[in-house]
Each structure stands twice: as C-alpha cells, then as structure tokens.
C-alpha cells in the first residue's frame, strides 16, 4: 500500500488561552510498501499527532492523506473506521488488551466485523499460528492479567497483524518495557516488516530501535527532517 502525505499541517487550540498552535507544518512524505521509518523528536513535537493523521485517527487541518491514490478526506467516520480496521495495524505504548478476554479473543477483536464463517475460521487459524510464532502458543487462553508486560505487547503486535494490514503504526511500542522485552518487540516488528512486506512506521525515543529502520526522520519545530 502506497501512503502519501501532501502538505500536511495541523493546528491545535490551547484550551486555556484559546491561542492556536501549529504543531505540524507542511509535511509531505511517501511511504512505499515494505518501507520502515522511525520518527523521533522531542516530547510535544508532534510525533503522535503525525502518526494519528497517517492512521486516520485524526484529520489534518490542511493537506491530503491518500492510500493507493485514494484521498481519504472524503470518507465518513464509519468508512474510515472500516478502512482502518482492514488496512492499518496499531501498536501503542500500552497494550490495550481487554482484561476480561483471553489473549486469543483479544487478538481476534479486529475480526468481529467479519461475518463470513470461512474468513473467521481462517483468522482464528492465523491467530493461533501468529501466537505460536511469537512464543505464546501455550498462553492463548490466559487473561492479560496472567501475562507479563512483554507477553501482552507481543499479543498486541499479533492483534495488529491479524487482518494482514498494509502498514503497522507503532507509537513508542517499547516505551513501557524492560530492555529484554523491548528488544524482542523491536526484533518482532522488524521481522514482520521484512518478511511480510508490511510497511512499518514507528515513533521511538530509542536510538537502538530507530537504527533498525531503513529511514530515520525527526520532527523539529513542526517540520519533518530526514536524517
Ligand atoms: N487535542 C489537543 N488539543 C490541544 N493540543 C493538543 C492536542 N493534542 C496534542 N496537542 C498538543 O500538540 C503538541 C504535540 O503533541 P503530540 O502528542 O503529538 O507530541 P509527541 O511528539 O507525541 O510527544 P511525546 O513524545 O511526549 O509523546 C503538544 O504540544 C500537545 O500539547
Ligand atoms: Mg507521543
């Protein structure tokens, strides 16, 4: 999936002073299938804002975001939600697994809108295989509270992969993990990117993780600069 950002700007109004702040200024970027990008920059520089715009969770003030040539600005909220669920995998700093569901049920959450029984069965088989590949075969029926932080995050990566997205967006995916688990998640995301040709865009403060990506960008004063 080719993702294209053209002249994106984003303003936010300060809820206290009412003043507008330009967080992103005239950002253009093309992401080809299989690309891997790290986005770094100081706290508050707009990294999550940019990732949320790419992920269609937020709309730009100016500019266009298109996927395979389709400008998604005209999409309704429902169309966007369906598009996002089908084509974009998200991983955040927190795993956001639902505490009352098993790991397997959590991984299958993005499959809920799928009504076709055959496709659902295929997704379950895929979930089992992916969980096995990340070393969680024996823990599929555990609740998140019965798993370690690193195991939950591996589960969250599998959930992001379940609908075979064209791109994975990861916002500080290793930010709440110890060094060993962080390295495992970094390795896992990189492997998925290389093996499955899924594009990977990740925001990170870790230079080690950023170095695994083929392109490194910084956001400085609202502008995206390539290192
Ligand atoms: N909904 C909002 N309303 C007003 N201002 C906002 C809103 N969301 C973000 N901001 C502001 O936009 C700026 C960029 O926020 P963003 O979350 O993108 O930063 P970040 O680079 O991800 O920072 P961090 O590394 O701390 O996660 C911040 O100054 C923040 O206060
Ligand atoms: Mg952020």
């Amino acid at each position: 999936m080719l993702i294209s950002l053209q002249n994106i700007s984003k303003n936010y109004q300060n809820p206290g002073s009412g003043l507008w702040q330009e967080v992103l200024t005239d950002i253009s970027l093309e992401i080809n299938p299989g690309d891997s990008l790290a986005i770094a920059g100081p706290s508050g520089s707009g990294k999550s804002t940019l990732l949320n715009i790419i992920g269609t969770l937020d709309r730009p003030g100016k500019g266009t975001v298109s996927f395979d040539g389709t400008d998604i600005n005209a999409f309704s909220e429902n169309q966007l939600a369906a598009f996002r669920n089908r084509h974009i995998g998200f991983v955040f700093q927190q795993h956001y697994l639902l505490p009352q569901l098993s790991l397997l049920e959590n991984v299958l959450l993005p499959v809920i809108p799928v009504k076709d029984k055959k496709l659902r069965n295929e997704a379950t088989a895929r979930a089992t295989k992916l969980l096995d590949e990340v070393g969680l075969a024996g823990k599929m029926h555990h609740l998140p509270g019965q798993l370690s932080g690193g195991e939950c995050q591996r589960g969250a990566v599998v959930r992001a992969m379940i609908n075979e997205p064209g791109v994975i967006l990861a916002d500080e995916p290793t930010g709440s993990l110890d060094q060993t688990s962080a390295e495992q998640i970094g390795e896992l995301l990189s492997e998925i990117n290389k093996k499955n040709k899924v594009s990977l865009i990740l925001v990170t403060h870790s230079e080690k993780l950023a170095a695994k990506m083929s392109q490194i960008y910084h956001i400085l004063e609202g502008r995206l600069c390539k290192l």
Side-chain angles (χ1 to χ4, degrees):
M1 192 165 56
L2 175 72
I3 304 170
S4 174
L5 307 189
Q6 278 170 357
N7 309 103
I8 297 290
S9 298
K10 181 77 182 174
N11 292 307
Y12 281 123
Q13 191 171 23
N14 183 313
S17 65
L19 294 174
W20 287 85
Q21 172 202 6
E22 185 157 86
V23 177
L24 302 175
T25 306
D26 200 24
I27 289 181
S28 296
L29 179 67
E30 289 227 322
I31 301 144
N32 289 294
D35 277 357
S36 62
L37 279 73
I39 299 175
S43 177
S45 59
K47 304 179 296 296
S48 296
T49 302
L50 179 63
L51 211 66
N52 289 343
I53 289 173
I54 299 173
T56 78
L57 292 167
D58 198 357
R59 292 181 189 263
K62 283 190 214 144
T64 57
V65 181
S66 54
F67 292 86
D68 286 336
T70 304
D71 178 356
I72 48 106
N73 194 36
F75 282 25
S76 67
E77 290 307 313
N78 281 346
Q79 283 174 315
L80 273 187
F83 175 83
R84 206 184 288 138
N85 186 53
R86 175 64 197 86
H87 297 288
I88 306 176
F90 291 94
V91 182
F92 299 97
Q93 183 166 353
Q94 306 301 328
H95 55 73
Y96 295 116
L97 298 180
L98 298 181
Q100 68 276 33
L101 298 183
S102 71
L103 179 59
L104 180 62
E105 288 165 337
N106 265 290
V107 164
L108 288 171
L109 279 173
V111 184
I112 286 177
V114 177
K115 297 289 170 247
D116 184 300
K117 191 125 197 273
K118 183 165 166 272
L119 292 180
R120 292 180 68 88
N121 287 340
E122 282 171 13
T124 306
R126 208 159 52 239
T128 311
K129 184 164 174 274
L130 286 167
L131 286 171
D132 185 23
E133 282 171 13
V134 303
L136 293 173
K139 308 219 164 161
M140 284 192 283
H141 303 292
H142 283 50
L143 297 174
Q146 298 166 327
L147 297 168
S148 74
E151 288 170 341
C152 284
Q153 194 64 323
R154 273 184 274 155
V157 173
V158 171
R159 182 184 53 188
M161 285 294 294
I162 194 66
N163 280 337
E164 301 179 307
V167 58
I168 290 193
L169 304 178
D171 196 348
E172 301 261 12
T174 64
S176 59
L177 301 175
D178 66 80
Q179 201 182 327
T180 310
S181 303
E183 278 174 17
Q184 278 180 353
I185 291 291
E187 234 1 90
L188 177 60
L189 287 170
S190 217
E191 231 178 77
I192 289 169
N193 163 248
K194 294 203 178 85
K195 211 169 79 183
N196 305 0
K197 280 266 168 200
V198 181
S199 306
L200 174 63
I201 307 174
L202 67 84
V203 166
T204 184
H205 288 288
S206 156
E207 283 181 22
K208 210 168 163 185
L209 181 55
K212 284 185 189 288
M213 304 298 114
S214 55
Q215 303 171 52
I216 303 179
Y217 288 88
H218 272 237
I219 300 185
L220 288 171
E221 293 173 0
R223 306 215 173 240
L224 192 66
C225 324
K226 193 167 185 180
L227 280 198

